[in-house]
Amino acid sequence: MHDGLAQRLRQAATRQAAPTQTATPLSLRELLHLHGEGSGAVLLLLMALLSMLPVAGAGTVLSFGILALAGAWLRGRDSLHLPERLSALHLNPRWSQRCLHGLAWTYERAERWLRPRWQALCHHRTRVLWGLWMALMAALIFLPLPLGNVLPGTSLMLLGLGWLFRDGLALLVSTAVGAAGLGYAISVGHLAIAAWQQAGAWLGW
């Protein structure tokens, strides 16, 4: 199934590599259409990937989308009606091509490495815990930290893949990566507070 999806994504990337006058920006809505489904796990995977790209304002907008999806998961729903502003979020042709190739590579590797195991972690009773985890990662993505989107975004991508493939090991790796992202955010926060206090001492505040 995912081999065919990877092929569709690479074909779409080839179209993005066409001359500028024929290439069109790729939106989140079109990415979902290429997948042929709009499940919560797929949407989470896409929003997490886009949140890590160096596109101005994308992380902020997508953090709210991820938070809304987390709320849907907490209510037992596996889908989310995307607001127009979020679904219309688009990339320029160069980043569209890179994103499509990255997704194709991700699915190809996931097909090879991931499989159903430790499925107790994918049970519907764990949805509340994963919904809370998604909300925490969305909060980290929202924070204006240098490279602060990378670890929480990777964690959410692994969460989406783990849920798609019913692979509990991928979910555990997701928590490890996200915990590293949380540690990074706390460390940067401590450094910022220490720098502020030092500046205050120099200025006699």
Side-chain angles (χ1 to χ4, degrees), residues 125-188:
R125 292 180 180 176
T126 65
R127 289 177 63 92
V128 172
L129 296 176
W130 294 120
L132 293 173
W133 185 256
M134 288 162 56
L136 177 59
M137 294 298 103
L140 293 181
I141 291 172
F142 177 79
L143 295 175
L145 302 176
L147 301 177
N149 294 3
V150 175
L151 290 173
T154 302
S155 173
L156 291 176
M157 285 189 69
L158 288 167
L159 173 54
L161 287 170
W163 202 266
L164 279 174
F165 286 84
R166 317 305 294 173
D167 191 336
L169 180 58
L171 297 179
L172 285 181
V173 176
S174 167
T175 61
V177 174
L182 180 60
Y184 171 76
I186 292 173
S187 298
V188 172

Side-chain angles (χ1 to χ4, degrees), residues 35-52:
H35 281 74
E37 60 175 309
S39 73
V42 169
L43 182 56
L44 176 63
L45 175 65
L46 295 179
M47 289 195 293
L49 174 63
L50 294 177
S51 72
M52 292 188 288

Side-chain angles (χ1 to χ4, degrees), residues 191-205:
L191 288 174
I193 292 173
W196 179 262
Q197 292 174 340
Q198 187 66 41
W202 286 342
L203 296 174
W205 293 348

